[in-house]
């Protein structure tokens, strides 16, 4: 390892300057599997005596299905189990540890008050089979959340059932198909911009539609004339993301909607980037017929292991007869679940959706209020434009326009030195930052998609900017340093293609044999 690599650091000072030699790798454990730990007879728990009559196992199961023990099963103490999983957790990176500049994914801090509200016993211990008379509070929350989301988006109704944004997309297209079928024909094609999320064409295809790509114009936006040239009576809908994945607002969406509606089509809006316009622009006011909300993006519901998520769908009144059942309605002072909707497409999720995610989102909306939600968009846009303007002299900016929630750079200035986007992303890890989204959107070659979100401070942004500038300097001075990164992570650079195509999922120890 060279002296330069040894001096490289992932600890960036609060001043925004990247100092060499001030970081430390700390303790990194090479944690073995549980099966490689412990010893025979070691126990990590004691159970109280059984307070109900015991039955011999033979009375419950056939003898051939019974076993006294599990050969090879690990036997460990409590402290061994706790340390094992705690060490594994330290191998992970999360939003509570640092900045997550993933463009399009909106990985922002989740306020802990949302978790406190969800853990209230009346919510967290409610059973989905409880009678409606005993879950009036839960039904009222869902009723109010639907009202809030409808007001925020400019829609007339909202379904809270979908479990994620992708399922919300499918529901939106199912609603469009059901509506068009009621008019005599579901039609055949769906128009999708070349900058769309990959789930958009997938959702349309699952619903039986042929996907037709629309190329973005020179401003990085969809041009109305391009839509007019492709729009006919066989087109069911256009799926448009606004702001789009370049971080640019589709400023002609109202004209596009008029063109689509004139031919009897529908306008679907991918609401993944709603945090950039919330409280400022309502999709329903510019002709959008249906859109999905990403609760884990806009409304601070945890991603991934902190999930599950939720992807409610807002829709205009003409699509309301097809909304999934059951729907929450208010009858006098009581809230009820109505399943008597003859034209409904049916259920898309068990019970009422992912209720835990809905409670968290409700708490987020109530804690911020209208002015706070607008401030979310204002700060998200401010942060993104700050990063864009600070880095555009260092990295190539394909669309030098005022952006919304994110900005997209490319590696065009680093390529002459043999440094690519992937190298820059890997080197960022040495400076303590999670890499941004890379190689998306596909219309930008070597894309680096950066979204700071509204939860990051100027100090954090300055540290990230300083690290990105230092990496650009390294790419010119010592490109091999960048190409061989990361150097300070638990493992060095992996062969990602081989890992994807030839994953090694085998345990190298003595595997337990189960009868």
């Amino acid at each position: 390892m060279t002296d330069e690599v040894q001096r490289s650091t992932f600890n960036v000072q609060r001043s925004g300057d990247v100092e060499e030699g001030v970081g430390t790798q700390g303790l990194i454990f090479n944690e073995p599997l549980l099966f490689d730990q412990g010893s025979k007879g070691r126990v990590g728990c004691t159970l109280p005596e059984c307070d109900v009559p015991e039955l011999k196992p033979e009375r419950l199961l056939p003898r051939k299905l019974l076993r006294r023990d599990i050969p090879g099963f690990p036997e460990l103490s409590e402290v061994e189990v706790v340390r094992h999983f705690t060490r594994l957790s330290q191998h992970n990176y999360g939003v509570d540890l640092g900045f997550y500049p993933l463009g399009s994914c909106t990985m922002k801090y989740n306020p802990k008050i949302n978790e406190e509200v969800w853990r209230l016993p009346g919510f967290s211990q409610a059973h989905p089979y409880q009678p409606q008379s005993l879950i009036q509070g839960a039904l009222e929350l869902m009723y109010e959340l639907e009202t809030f989301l409808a007001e925020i988006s400019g829609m007339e109704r909202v379904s809270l059932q979908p479990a994620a944004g992708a399922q919300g997309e499918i529901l939106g297209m199912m609603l469009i198909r059901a509506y068009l079928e009621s008019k005599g024909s579901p039609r055949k094609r769906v128009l999708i911009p070349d900058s769309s999320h990959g789930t958009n064409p997938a959702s349309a295809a699952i619903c039986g539609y042929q996907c037709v790509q629309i190329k973005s114009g020179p401003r990085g936006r969809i041009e109305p004339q391009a839509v007019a040239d492709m729009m006919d009576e066989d087109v069911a809908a256009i799926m448009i993301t606004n702001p789009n994945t370049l971080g640019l607002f589709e400023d002609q969406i109202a004209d596009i909607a008029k063109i689509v509606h004139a031919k009897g089509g529908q306008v679907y809006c991918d609401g993944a980037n709603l945090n950039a316009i919330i409280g400022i622009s309502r999709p329903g006011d510019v002709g959008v017929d249906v859109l999905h909300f990403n609760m884990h993006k806009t409304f601070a519901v945890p991603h991934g292991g902190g999930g599950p998520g939720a992807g409610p769908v807002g829709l205009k009144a003409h699509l309301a007869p097809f909304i999934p059942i059951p729907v929450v309605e208010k009858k006098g002072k009581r809230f009820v679940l109505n399943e008597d909707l003859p034209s409904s497409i049916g259920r898309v999720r068990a019970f009422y959706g992912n209720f835990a995610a809905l409670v968290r989102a409700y708490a987020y909306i109530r804690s911020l209020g209208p002015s706070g939600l607008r401030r979310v968009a204002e700060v998200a846009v401010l942060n993104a434009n700050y990063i864009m303007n600070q880095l555009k002299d260092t990295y190539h900016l394909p669309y030098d326009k005022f952006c919304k929630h994110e900005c997209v750079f490319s590696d065009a200035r680093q390529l002459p030195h043999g440094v690519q986007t992937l190298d820059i992303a890997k080197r960022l890890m040495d400076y303590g930052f999670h890499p941004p989204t890379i190689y998306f959107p596909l219309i930008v070659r070597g894309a680096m998609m950066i979204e700071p979100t509204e939860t990051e401070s100027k100090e954090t942004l300055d540290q990230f900017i300083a690290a990105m500038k230092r990496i650009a300097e390294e790419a010119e001075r010592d490109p091999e340093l960048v190409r061989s990164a990361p150097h300070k992570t638990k493992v060095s650079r992996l062969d990602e293609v081989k890992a994807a195509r030839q994953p090694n999922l085998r345990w190298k120890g003595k595997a337990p044999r189960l009868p």
Side-chain angles (χ1 to χ4, degrees):
M1 183 180 294
T2 65
D3 290 341
E4 182 66 30
V5 174
Q6 290 175 329
R7 291 197 302 270
S8 65
T9 175
F10 57 83
N11 186 6
V12 186
Q13 300 301 294
R14 288 182 61 85
S15 65
D17 296 328
V18 183
E19 302 289 347
E20 292 187 8
V22 298
T24 177
Q25 287 181 275
L27 297 174
I28 299 178
F29 295 96
N30 291 313
E31 185 64 18
L33 298 175
L34 281 175
F35 292 97
D36 293 332
Q37 302 183 53
S39 63
K40 188 172 180 58
R42 193 168 293 174
V43 179
C45 64
T46 56
L47 301 176
E49 293 185 7
C50 188
D51 59 355
V52 296
E54 294 189 35
L55 294 176
K56 291 185 176 181
E58 292 83 357
R59 295 185 58 184
L60 302 174
L61 292 171
R63 185 179 295 276
K64 66 179 181 179
L65 298 179
L66 296 174
R67 62 188 178 205
R68 290 188 174 275
D69 55 22
I70 305 175
F73 197 77
E75 299 176 65
L76 302 99
S77 66
E78 178 181 309
V79 67
E80 288 175 307
V81 174
V82 169
R83 285 177 177 170
H84 172 74
F85 287 105
T86 300
R87 287 170 177 171
L88 289 181
S89 73
Q90 292 170 344
H91 295 170
N92 196 19
Y93 187 90
V95 75
D96 287 352
L97 289 174
F99 179 35
Y100 242 119
L102 283 171
S104 194
C105 284
T106 317
M107 294 288 286
K108 63 187 182 184
Y109 177 73
N110 311 128
K112 297 302 177 276
I113 183 64
N114 304 347
E115 300 299 314
E116 293 295 327
V117 173
W118 151 241
R119 289 177 181 142
L120 291 173
F123 294 137
S124 62
Q125 297 180 20
H127 194 283
Y129 281 126
Q130 283 182 229
Q132 295 179 33
S133 60
L134 298 181
I135 57 169
Q136 284 293 297
L139 294 179
E140 182 176 1
L141 182 146
M142 289 189 288
Y143 181 86
E144 289 193 0
L145 180 58
E146 176 183 330
T147 303
F148 294 160
L149 294 177
E151 174 63 24
I152 287 169
S153 62
M155 294 293 163
E156 270 107 28
R157 290 300 306 270
V158 173
S159 172
L160 302 176
Q161 282 193 31
Q167 190 181 27
E169 285 182 23
I170 293 175
L171 172 57
M173 294 309 298
M174 291 172 67
L175 292 170
I176 289 174
R177 187 178 185 91
Y179 168 73
L180 293 175
E181 283 180 341
S182 74
K183 297 294 184 181
S185 171
R187 303 194 174 195
K188 299 177 181 179
R189 300 194 301 276
V190 171
L191 307 181
I192 301 177
D194 55 3
S195 63
S196 73
H197 292 111
T199 47
N200 287 181
S203 298
I206 287 174
C207 292
Y209 288 111
Q210 175 189 353
C211 301
V212 181
Q213 187 182 89
I214 306 178
K215 290 191 176 298
S216 300
R219 302 186 308 126
R221 300 169 173 89
I222 297 301
E223 301 292 337
Q225 188 58 51
V227 177
D229 292 343
M230 305 177 78
M231 192 66 208
D232 58 31
E233 283 76 9
D234 276 340
V235 173
I238 184 172
M239 298 183 79
I240 188 166
T241 303
N242 198 26
N244 64 29
T245 57
L246 292 169
L248 304 176
F249 188 79
E250 294 285 355
D251 52 7
Q252 298 188 79
I253 189 171
D255 294 333
I256 291 171
K258 291 178 182 178
I259 292 169
V260 174
H261 289 153
K263 295 288 186 177
Q266 298 289 286
V267 179
Y268 179 96
C269 181
D270 182 326
N273 303 328
L274 190 66
N275 69 310
I277 61 173
I278 190 169
I280 298 174
S281 174
R282 303 197 313 170
D285 294 343
V286 293
V288 170
D289 300 294
V290 57
L291 86 157
H292 78 265
F293 306 83
N294 289 91
M295 308 307 264
H296 54 284
K297 293 185 176 186
T298 304
F299 300 104
V301 174
H303 274 67
V313 170
L315 50 141
K316 287 297 184 68
H318 64 280
L319 298 172
F322 311 99
I323 195 170
I325 55 173
V327 295
V328 182
E329 296 180 352
K330 189 174 183 180
K331 303 291 186 181
K333 294 184 178 180
R334 292 179 57 78
F335 296 90
V336 299
L337 290 169
N338 182 13
E339 299 198 27
D340 186 20
L341 296 175
S343 299
S344 170
I345 63 171
R347 290 179 179 269
V348 296
R349 185 74 173 87
F351 305 111
Y352 331 114
N354 286 337
F355 183 65
L358 301 179
V359 175
R360 292 179 174 104
Y362 178 88
Y364 182 75
I365 293 172
R366 288 298 300 267
S367 63
L368 289 176
S371 60
L373 291 175
R374 181 184 177 93
R375 187 64 174 160
V376 163
E378 292 171 344
V379 178
V381 172
L382 176 65
N383 283 355
N385 279 276
Y386 180 66
I387 285 182
M388 183 185 74
N389 281 281
Q390 290 293 312
L391 291 179
K392 69 179 184 179
D393 293 333
T394 306
Y395 293 90
H396 173 236
L397 183 64
Y399 297 93
D400 190 359
K401 309 289 184 181
F402 183 85
C403 67
K404 295 304 177 186
H405 59 300
E406 62 196 6
C407 52
V408 179
F409 295 97
S410 84
D411 58 6
R413 294 179 183 171
Q414 287 69 45
L415 278 177
H417 307 288
V419 173
Q420 305 179 50
T421 287
L422 181 63
D423 304 322
I424 296 167
K426 296 295 186 183
R427 182 59 173 152
L428 261 174
M429 297 180 188
D430 288 332
Y431 289 98
F433 291 105
H434 192 287
T437 298
I438 59 175
Y439 300 116
F440 182 81
L442 299 177
I443 59 174
V444 174
R445 184 179 179 86
M448 288 177 282
M449 190 184 197
I450 301 170
E451 179 177 3
T453 80
E454 69 277 4
T455 60
E456 299 302 332
S457 67
K458 181 177 181 295
E459 290 81 4
T460 297
L461 301 186
D462 285 337
Q463 292 165 8
F464 175 78
I465 290 164
M468 288 290 287
K469 288 183 176 180
R470 172 61 67 88
I471 293 170
E473 294 173 3
E474 293 171 344
E476 297 182 20
R477 186 181 70 250
D478 188 0
E480 181 56 32
L481 175 69
V482 184
R483 285 196 296 265
S484 58
H487 307 288
K488 288 183 170 289
T489 52
K490 178 173 171 57
V491 294
S492 59
R493 189 178 303 202
L494 304 176
D495 186 334
E496 297 178 350
V497 175
K498 184 177 181 180
R501 295 182 177 178
Q502 302 175 27
N504 183 2
L505 305 179
R506 295 290 183 182
W507 176 41
K508 295 182 179 180
K510 184 179 180 183
R513 294 183 176 275
L514 304 182

